[in-house]
Amino acid sequence: MKILFAASEAAPFMKSGGLGDVLEALPTELAKDASLEIAVVLPLYKKIKQNETLGLKFKTSFALPSPLSESYVGVFVKKIKRVTYYFIDNEFYFGRDGAPYGHGDDGARFAFFSKAILESFQHLDYYPDVIHLNDWQTATVPVYLKAFYETIPAYSRIRTVFTIHNIEYQGAMPESFARDAMGLSGWQDDVMHHDFGVNFMKSAVVLADRVTTVSRTYAHEIKYPYFSHGLDGVLREHEYKLSGIVNGINTTLFNPKTDKALPANFSSTDLSGKAICKAELQKELGLPVREDVPLIAMITRLVSHKGLELVECVLNDILSRDVQLVVLGTGDERFERLFHFAQYCHPDKMSAQIRFDGALASRIYAGSDLFLMPSKSEPCGLSQLIAMRYGTIPIVRETGGLYDTVPALNTETLEGKGFTFKVFNAHDMLGAIDRACAFFRDGQKLARHRRALVRYNSSWKASAEEYLAIYKSLCDS
Ligand code: GLC
């Protein structure tokens, strides 16, 4: 069976968030099965094109028909272990500096990418059995497939799976987009419409053979207006093909036993290295080196849906306790200032690391005691899984993937994983932080629970099997 993943990012080539991690780990996990042929297709961003060390090979080129004008498409290829990576080249759309998204013409860029993927099959003489699409950037593949390709015999057997990693970004365009920029008419034009414009994600929910999202609870939540950003009606209508499959992490990459970024390594049988990591981290951050104080960490984009408002409400209360807090990440200026100011007021308790730094992130996961993730909504979340892998206890709000991966800890029996709160309320969060800090002070139980967290297996294996079952069921039908 041939599976093609289509996405706007995949580590190690391009990563702006969790999507990039998933698109690295899931194809790699599936490729372990010798009966599967796994490929990933990405835009050839400038950063990738200019990186000669990657050794991409030119494969083919063609002119893509479009209602506006014909456009050049180049296809480059690179194989890593058993995964083939294809790159769609077009200087105008992807030869740009800066972030992969956030350009004024993102709609045109990713509609172009989606159509170019389909067109490339005839030039590569490669036809996947299943195209696994991810988020709004590749959400127009099903409509293009049905509108322009399905009558070609080699395309007629192709099935599509669409995964929602975050429903907040849907690819909403002006009303005329489907007709003028995509060349759709009649029912195809209708399927793109939602509210008063065009919506890429909606069309994929309607047309894909299966729709998945990245946790069971999120699959349930997005059927309600509080979480759906306007798509709850469409999702309820198509819930017969909707399911949730939780993400895993790359347990080889995120491994406290071998992680080279750490000053000392550790494992579930010997946690002594974690104390060294903590002391070194405190030194690095300019915080007092104290073993007896709970070090709380947040590694996050500093944006509202990550629950930063809750932290803003009670930051002074948190810092009035005997704790240390480190925040790593960038985002809204409002929150960046908040943490800078807190560091200014409490230099012995607060460390504001307003930047992105992967190696420091590893040292924080390993050197902290508690990991705070009070998200308003969280499709899956990977940081809580990484934190646990490094023996750091999560404090989370019970939503989406956080609810599924961090069951509440019973501090008597040590069943469960972390400290949780239900209502999106700052004082409920503060209560959970206080309970976690009290638990931290119970040395024996703390060590036992940390060992259990490090041992916990959040690898991709089980989830990859669930995806495989979906692919198989589609190919058999
Ligand atoms: C998005 C979600 C995050 C999820 C990731 C990968 O970034 O916000 O919760 O873990 O996608 O699926």
Side-chain angles (χ1 to χ4, degrees), residues 17-19 22 135 164-166 214 247 301 305-306 378-382:
L19 177 63
V22 171
D135 274 352
I164 300 173
H165 294 262
N166 193 339
V214 289
N247 288 333
R301 271 182 299 128
H305 80 259
K306 293 289 180 184
E378 194 61 72
C380 177
L382 300 174

XYZ file of all heavy atoms in Angstrom, residues 17-19 22 135 164-166 214 247 301 305-306 378-382, ligand 1:
148
model
N 5.786 24.212 14.396
C 5.057 23.774 15.593
C 4.895 22.267 15.603
O 5.614 21.547 14.899
N 3.899 21.802 16.384
C 3.684 20.360 16.569
C 3.412 19.621 15.265
O 3.763 18.444 15.127
N 2.783 20.305 14.306
C 2.503 19.671 13.017
C 3.790 19.130 12.384
O 3.827 18.009 11.868
C 1.839 20.709 12.091
C 1.521 20.272 10.671
C 0.499 19.144 10.655
C 0.996 21.454 9.849
N 4.833 15.907 14.101
C 3.988 14.771 13.746
C 4.352 14.258 12.349
O 4.450 13.054 12.118
C 2.492 15.175 13.792
C 1.612 14.071 13.221
C 2.074 15.487 15.224
N -4.378 19.602 7.990
C -4.747 21.008 8.204
C -5.138 21.736 6.916
O -5.096 21.173 5.823
C -3.638 21.749 8.955
C -3.794 21.594 10.476
O -4.837 21.053 10.912
O -2.894 22.009 11.226
N -7.275 17.071 11.218
C -7.336 18.428 11.774
C -6.365 18.485 12.964
O -6.572 17.812 13.974
C -8.767 18.750 12.261
C -9.755 18.650 11.103
C -8.815 20.124 12.933
C -11.231 18.780 11.524
N -5.320 19.271 12.823
C -4.385 19.452 13.940
C -4.793 20.647 14.790
O -4.439 20.733 15.964
C -2.956 19.638 13.422
C -2.424 18.415 12.754
N -1.616 17.510 13.397
C -2.627 17.917 11.513
C -1.328 16.515 12.560
N -1.940 16.745 11.411
N -5.471 21.589 14.160
C -5.958 22.748 14.908
C -7.074 23.392 14.100
O -6.842 23.851 12.984
C -4.815 23.745 15.123
C -5.204 24.785 16.156
O -6.381 25.005 16.414
N -4.215 25.427 16.742
N -6.462 14.928 16.412
C -5.299 14.360 17.082
C -5.516 13.919 18.539
O -4.552 13.647 19.250
C -4.088 15.301 16.938
C -3.575 15.286 15.510
C -4.437 16.718 17.362
N -1.724 11.770 19.251
C -0.333 11.821 18.788
C 0.594 11.106 19.762
O 0.308 11.024 20.957
C 0.153 13.270 18.712
C -0.463 14.037 17.561
O -0.846 13.455 16.555
N -0.548 15.344 17.707
N 3.943 28.658 22.818
C 3.721 29.914 22.122
C 2.928 30.805 23.073
O 2.005 30.332 23.752
C 2.917 29.674 20.841
C 3.808 29.369 19.655
C 3.021 29.188 18.392
N 2.087 28.079 18.507
C 0.785 28.157 18.230
N 0.263 29.281 17.819
N 0.010 27.100 18.344
N -4.929 31.070 23.411
C -5.563 29.758 23.611
C -4.681 28.773 24.383
O -5.126 27.697 24.763
C -6.104 29.178 22.297
C -5.095 28.541 21.423
N -4.558 29.157 20.331
C -4.499 27.327 21.484
C -3.685 28.360 19.762
N -3.621 27.245 20.438
N -3.434 29.159 24.624
C -2.584 28.305 25.464
C -2.837 28.578 26.958
O -2.133 28.064 27.828
C -1.105 28.542 25.131
C -0.734 28.070 23.734
C -0.734 26.553 23.636
C -0.377 26.053 22.246
N -0.460 24.597 22.121
N -6.829 22.355 23.346
C -5.553 21.716 22.974
C -5.853 20.462 22.173
O -6.225 19.429 22.738
C -4.750 21.365 24.231
C -3.300 21.018 23.962
C -2.534 22.183 23.329
O -2.258 23.177 24.019
O -2.239 22.072 22.129
N -5.722 20.547 20.840
C -6.030 19.379 20.013
C -5.332 18.111 20.518
O -5.968 17.090 20.731
C -5.517 19.800 18.640
C -5.639 21.302 18.648
C -5.342 21.729 20.053
N -4.026 18.192 20.732
C -3.334 17.075 21.382
C -2.338 17.636 22.387
O -2.436 17.431 23.576
C -2.610 16.186 20.376
S -1.717 14.886 21.219
N -1.359 18.397 21.867
C -0.289 18.864 22.747
C 0.785 17.804 22.776
O 0.505 16.612 22.949
N 2.017 18.236 22.554
C 3.134 17.285 22.596
C 4.011 17.557 23.812
O 4.632 16.654 24.370
C 3.971 17.403 21.316
C 3.223 17.127 19.996
C 4.104 17.417 18.794
C 2.734 15.690 19.952
C -1.266 21.652 16.637
C -2.037 21.564 17.944
C -1.349 20.667 18.959
C -1.009 19.324 18.316
C -0.176 19.565 17.054
C 0.167 18.289 16.317
O -0.105 22.396 16.810
O -2.252 22.861 18.494
O -2.188 20.449 20.076
O -0.275 18.537 19.215
O -0.923 20.370 16.148
O -0.953 17.519 15.985
